[in-house]
Amino acid sequence: MDILFTASFPVSCQNSSDYNLTTLCPDNQTTNSTPPSLANPPAFGMSYFTMTLGAISNLTALAILAHSYARFRRWAKVPFLLLASVLILSDLAGHVITGALALHLHLGRLKHHGAAVAVEPPQVYCKLFGGCMVFFGLSPLFLGSAMAVERCIGITQPLLHPAVVTMTRVRLTVLLITFSALTLAGLPLLNVGNYKPQFPGTWCFLPVNGPLSIADASLALFFSTLGLVALTVSVVSNTISGLKLLQARFKDRCVKSSTARRHASLSPSSLHSLDVEMMTQLATITVVSCVCWSPFLVSAL
């Protein structure tokens, strides 16, 4: 979904009534300038490349998780792997579905390129596109924060973890995340707020620029707040987990019990190595989420 947020948000402007798309313009550009459809042809090749790259990356991550499941399932790492699998599947679906919708609009703009008036997507299509953007935007953020909390409990409270983080609770968490994201995404479909075409007319989302109704402003604010809260929870949980792992590593260097490790079927060093591996994966997910989403969420506020 990163292909849909390549434009920065320095200054907002609204074109004339014949081109009712929320657009962005430089400081020296006026609202009477050339429509974006004529000045900036749609980057069809870049969108196709990014969607394909995202899909391949997610499929590769699924293959890695499948291999990890065979290694970790007897060591009570299934909750983390389940959350990670759902996150990757959600992100994969987001890339494929929203990418296909964006490519359809790109093709339509290429077909009408050179016309005096830009063609807006149908309202029903825009609502579907916007709903997918919200749902597949919030779901990975929520799942990433759930993974961070799960690992924080597993690293800081290893004895309490099996009793608190059960598979039933993890499944309920996934259902709750799905329901919450689906509810927010579906509100404009029930005429609570709207989805509007966004610059350069090849994607739809909640309106964040120009005069907004109370419902539109509330939905945009709610979306941004939820996303920023999820990212904050991920960063804080990962920081606590990372500090705990560093502390355990220093203690492991000071106190070595080589004989016990050789004879233990599940050694502390093995558990420590697995925790480091999972935290590395989780930290990567968090960094990518922050880089991709933080600028957009902050600007939407």
Side-chain angles (χ1 to χ4, degrees), residues 13-294:
C13 62
Q14 187 74 22
N15 277 359
S16 58
S17 59
D18 60 347
Y19 187 73
N20 190 24
L21 297 181
T22 303
T23 61
L24 304 170
C25 56
D27 295 337
N28 60 352
Q29 182 179 348
T30 66
T31 58
N32 294 324
S33 58
T34 305
S37 61
L38 304 181
N40 300 306
F44 174 82
M46 180 58 66
S47 296
Y48 181 81
F49 170 77
T50 311
M51 182 188 71
T52 304
L53 179 63
I56 293 176
S57 300
N58 283 294
L59 290 174
T60 304
L62 282 176
I64 295 174
L65 280 180
H67 177 69
S68 299
Y69 178 79
R71 295 169 53 202
F72 296 163
R73 60 181 176 181
R74 64 188 179 92
W75 288 348
K77 303 303 177 185
V78 177
F80 176 85
L81 295 177
L82 175 60
L83 291 172
S85 300
V86 176
L87 185 149
I88 293 174
L89 287 174
S90 175
D91 196 55
L92 174 62
H95 272 93
V96 174
I97 295 176
T98 59
L101 293 173
L103 288 177
H104 177 76
L105 293 181
H106 273 298
L107 291 175
R109 286 170 62 81
L110 287 173
K111 181 179 179 181
H112 296 90
H113 186 59
V117 179
V119 179
E120 291 188 18
Q123 186 63 27
V124 175
Y125 188 93
C126 197
K127 286 186 176 182
L128 174 63
F129 199 165
C132 291
M133 289 291 298
V134 172
F135 177 77
F136 291 116
L138 284 180
S139 294
L141 294 178
F142 287 164
L143 290 168
S145 63
M147 291 170 60
V149 172
E150 187 274 337
R151 277 297 81 211
C152 185
I153 296 175
I155 293 174
T156 60
Q157 302 292 335
L159 298 180
L160 188 62
H161 179 266
V164 175
V165 184
T166 63
M167 289 302 298
T168 300
R169 290 178 179 175
V170 171
R171 293 190 181 98
L172 289 176
T173 300
V174 172
L175 291 177
L176 179 61
I177 289 173
T178 303
F179 177 77
S180 300
L182 191 61
T183 299
L184 184 61
L187 287 178
L189 304 180
L190 301 175
N191 297 322
V192 181
N194 295 283
Y195 289 118
K196 298 291 185 181
Q198 306 291 324
F199 177 80
T202 54
W203 61 292
C204 298
F205 195 69
L206 297 169
V208 294
N209 293 314
L212 301 178
S213 65
I214 296 178
D216 289 337
S218 299
L219 286 178
L221 180 63
F222 196 43
F223 176 87
S224 300
T225 302
L226 288 177
L228 290 174
V229 168
L231 288 177
T232 302
V233 170
S234 298
V235 172
V236 172
S237 299
N238 289 336
T239 301
I240 296 174
S241 300
L243 293 176
K244 186 67 176 180
L245 287 177
L246 288 176
Q247 182 183 14
R249 185 175 182 85
F250 289 140
K251 288 183 178 180
D252 187 57
R253 286 183 175 180
C254 297
V255 181
K256 295 184 178 181
S257 52
S258 302
T259 305
R261 290 174 186 168
R262 283 197 300 267
H263 294 288
S265 59
L266 186 59
S267 65
S269 59
S270 298
L271 285 174
H272 180 76
S273 177
L274 293 177
D275 286 333
V276 171
E277 180 179 342
M278 286 186 290
M279 278 306 304
T280 302
Q281 298 170 356
L282 189 53
T284 303
I285 293 173
T286 302
V287 170
V288 172
S289 298
C290 289
V291 171
C292 293
W293 278 103
S294 292

